[in-house]
Amino acid sequence: MISSPSPMTSSARWALGARRVLTPGDLPAPGATTDRASAAAGAAAEPATGAATPGDSSGAAAPPGPDALIAGLALALHRYLTRHPDLLICRYELALEATRRPELRAFYDATGRQFREPLEALMTAAGSPEPERHALSLVAWCEGLMFSCAAGSYHRSVPTEAELRTGFGELLRGMLGDG
């Protein structure tokens, strides 16, 4: 007996229609300062283009240092956790539905790449010796926090942006060294 696909929940349909994921424009531009105002301005700006490549002497800005990366990631994650927690719930419903429906799996994987690939590039620019593995660890850490704070046992206690900066700092310095 062939079963028909389960009907998508209205939340999953809404999340599919929203198509909103973290983009490179949500992170500070290379060379941005790490204070809160500058990080917020950098996160609201359009994505930076024309990043410097190794050996490039065109005067382009240097890749972001760990502090800029930490500030940008903390700001972006804090926004995810505080602005629309219901979207995170929809996202998890969509993830579960994607395990049952191949057409949603393709969409879910494609939207995941929109976060993962820029993060891998940022990790490469920050000097990661293994950017793909480190990006996976960062994504897993973020996913765990988002789930815990949206639907899990920490749903009533979202970390502050400062606490997230501390957490990202510990993770990134462990991956990249104290440099």
Side-chain angles (χ1 to χ4, degrees), residues 18-86:
R19 294 180 185 246
R20 176 68 176 108
V21 297
L22 179 69
T23 64
D26 293 326
L27 299 172
T33 60
T34 60
D35 68 345
R36 185 174 170 81
S38 295
E46 291 184 24
T49 58
T53 58
D56 182 9
S57 60
S58 65
D67 288 340
L69 186 57
I70 289 165
L73 290 170
L75 177 65
L77 183 56
H78 192 259
R79 285 178 177 174
Y80 266 104
L81 294 170
T82 59
R83 291 200 174 170
H84 301 285
D86 290 346

Side-chain angles (χ1 to χ4, degrees), residues 36-173:
R36 185 174 170 81
S38 295
E46 291 184 24
T49 58
T53 58
D56 182 9
S57 60
S58 65
D67 288 340
L69 186 57
I70 289 165
L73 290 170
L75 177 65
L77 183 56
H78 192 259
R79 285 178 177 174
Y80 266 104
L81 294 170
T82 59
R83 291 200 174 170
H84 301 285
D86 290 346
L87 291 179
L88 292 174
I89 302 289
C90 292
R91 185 172 171 270
Y92 291 114
E93 289 181 7
L94 180 61
L96 291 172
E97 191 68 26
T99 66
R100 297 180 285 273
R101 301 191 51 189
E103 71 277 12
L104 290 179
R105 176 85 271 158
F107 169 79
Y108 192 81
D109 291 349
T111 58
R113 277 191 299 280
Q114 292 177 22
F115 178 78
R116 186 183 69 246
E117 290 171 355
L119 186 55
E120 288 172 359
L122 286 168
M123 292 305 297
T124 298
S128 168
E130 297 183 61
E132 289 179 15
R133 186 174 65 82
H134 288 157
L136 171 62
S137 294
L138 284 171
V139 168
W141 188 77
C142 291
E143 290 280 355
L145 271 174
M146 289 188 296
F147 181 83
S148 291
C149 293
S153 59
Y154 286 89
H155 70 277
R156 294 182 189 252
S157 57
V158 172
T160 66
E161 191 177 332
E163 291 168 330
L164 293 172
R165 273 194 308 274
T166 298
F168 275 117
E170 292 164 349
L171 288 168
L172 288 169
R173 287 188 177 92

